Amino acid sequence: MAFCSKCGAQLNESERFCPNCGTAADGSSAMPNTAAHSTGTLMGILSYLGILVLIPYFVKEQTPFVRSHAIRGINLFLLEVIAGAAVGLLGAVLPIIGGIVGWLVSLAALALSIIGIINVCNKEDKDLPVIGGIR
């Protein structure tokens, strides 16, 4: 048995890509340029559109490219939910500060979603800035 060099997940002998993070079995993060990637572009974009991330996340037959973006999208969505709850509590105590922080959090989430969509359209398998290390 082999293990993924990026996330440590166990790989079967026949797997060329990690089913957890999408990294190639040889350790490179480059994804192959196949027709499956062009059909996976829509699913990759859905990964960064809020609750719609659940569609590519729960599809059984998906490419490692889509799987890695779906995991990043789930991370972003969960952080948005957690930040929204925290901002809501802050807004209840300090309404003006809560409004400003809420606006900044929304703007940051939008920027990260746009970066993720650009990565999908460019067929790049890159982590998102700031939150990329979260798995």
Side-chain angles (χ1 to χ4, degrees):
M1 281 286 159
F3 293 93
C4 175
S5 61
K6 185 172 183 181
C7 71
Q10 191 172 7
L11 303 173
N12 293 329
E13 298 299 324
S14 62
E15 291 179 322
R16 293 182 10 195
F17 295 95
C18 174
N20 187 36
C21 69
T23 301
D26 64 2
S28 68
S29 61
M31 304 303 286
N33 189 8
T34 64
H37 286 294
S38 52
T39 59
T41 301
L42 176 62
M43 292 296 241
I45 290 172
L46 286 177
S47 297
Y48 296 103
L49 298 179
I51 193 75
L52 295 178
V53 70
L54 296 177
I55 296 170
Y57 188 75
F58 287 117
V59 169
K60 288 187 178 219
E61 296 179 11
Q62 59 180 312
T63 64
F65 178 77
V66 173
R67 179 75 176 159
S68 64
H69 283 286
I71 290 170
R72 290 180 188 113
I74 283 283
N75 290 342
L76 179 60
F77 178 67
L78 290 175
L79 287 173
E80 287 175 17
V81 170
I82 292 167
V87 167
L89 291 174
L90 180 63
V93 176
L94 302 167
I96 294 173
I97 302 296
I100 293 170
V101 172
W103 184 80
L104 292 174
V105 166
S106 297
L107 188 62
L110 177 65
L112 290 172
S113 293
I114 290 171
I115 291 170
I117 291 170
I118 290 171
N119 286 342
V120 169
C121 292
N122 289 335
K123 307 290 187 241
E124 295 175 346
D125 190 26
K126 294 197 289 190
D127 284 334
L128 295 174
V130 181
I131 66 167
I134 301 171
R135 293 276 179 242

